[in-house]
Amino acid sequence: MNCGLILLILILSSYKESSHEDKKRGAGVDMDRIGLMSEQWSKERPELESESMEIYGRLMIANKFAEKAMGAFLKSHGLINPEFDVLAVLRRAGDPYKLSVGELCEAALLTSGAMTNRIDKLVKKGLVDREINTDDRRGVHVVLTAEGFDLIDSIIHERFEVADKFIRCLSADDRKSLNGILKKLLSYYE
């Protein structure tokens, strides 16, 4: 799962929480684990501003839920998330569904060593092949096999449904706002 999707899922899953001030005022909102920790710190160390740690903590907890949901889905199809990412990048690249290792690394935000490991596993599963780059014999292209193409095409709709189910509690306006906030956050790091 790419970083942007992970962050989106993380934030969305915690988005329905009210603000710390609302909780202090007793707005009828159940306190979550992060809110409880924040309240404890405010009693013990009132000079600490906890909002950034609350956001970070909720992101981390939401990430666990997101990974669990996506992990279970992918496992049911014999994949793990890093393998899915490679298949998805190749499928999105369009016909002839092949990229150089460097292009794959750039699209997946990985080092060549990490990508080589993923490609090796997918080759063993028969989902991708390596081809010599005819323009540069030192280079290699990674190409989806027919089996890899069929697999990614058969599960991609369900993958989107798993993500949609994860954020179903949010209105269309909430989703749009949150997506904009996440873009802003990620643009700082990318």
Side-chain angles (χ1 to χ4, degrees):
M1 178 178 301
N2 71 35
C3 184
L5 181 59
I6 290 171
L7 280 174
L8 173 62
I9 292 171
L10 294 172
I11 292 174
L12 289 175
S13 67
S14 64
Y15 187 74
K16 63 183 176 181
E17 293 295 324
S18 68
S19 74
H20 185 65
E21 290 302 312
D22 284 343
K23 290 177 187 177
K24 282 184 176 177
R25 287 193 298 265
V29 177
D30 293 334
M31 185 169 299
D32 66 350
R33 291 182 281 176
I34 301 299
L36 177 62
M37 286 187 280
S38 178
E39 187 173 90
Q40 290 168 335
W41 277 118
S42 69
K43 287 178 185 172
E44 294 298 315
R45 297 284 308 270
E47 78 279 7
L48 295 175
E49 175 51 53
S50 63
E51 185 178 44
S52 59
M53 285 305 293
E54 285 184 51
I55 293 168
Y56 182 81
R58 287 188 178 101
L59 286 171
M60 298 310 297
I61 291 170
N63 185 45
K64 289 178 186 179
F65 288 122
E67 287 181 349
K68 183 177 179 181
M70 285 297 181
F73 157 70
L74 291 173
K75 185 176 181 180
S76 72
H77 294 286
L79 294 171
I80 58 174
N81 204 41
E83 295 167 339
F84 176 88
D85 286 346
V86 171
L87 297 176
V89 167
L90 288 169
R91 178 61 180 91
R92 288 192 319 260
D95 193 13
Y97 312 108
K98 72 178 175 181
L99 294 170
S100 70
V101 174
E103 291 168 326
L104 274 173
C105 290
E106 186 177 324
L109 304 174
L110 291 172
T111 65
S112 60
M115 184 57 72
T116 298
N117 185 35
R118 290 178 184 192
I119 294 167
D120 288 345
K121 290 178 181 181
L122 290 168
V123 167
K124 286 180 185 175
K125 291 181 177 188
L127 301 174
V128 301
D129 279 328
R130 287 184 173 95
E131 292 181 353
I132 299 295
N133 181 343
T134 54
D135 297 329
D136 178 2
R137 295 188 55 117
R138 296 170 295 165
V140 174
H141 282 125
V142 180
V143 61
L144 274 177
T145 62
E147 184 180 346
F149 182 91
D150 289 345
L151 177 62
I152 191 69
D153 260 19
S154 70
I155 67 173
I156 193 63
H157 184 67
E158 189 178 351
R159 170 76 181 243
F160 274 68
E161 287 176 350
V162 171
D164 188 61
K165 185 177 181 182
F166 206 81
I167 61 170
R168 196 166 284 154
C169 64
L170 299 175
S171 71
D173 287 343
D174 287 344
R175 290 178 186 205
K176 190 172 192 164
S177 295
L178 184 57
N179 202 19
I181 291 167
L182 288 171
K183 275 176 91 172
K184 186 176 183 177
L185 177 67
L186 289 175
S187 71
Y188 180 80
Y189 294 101
E190 292 182 331

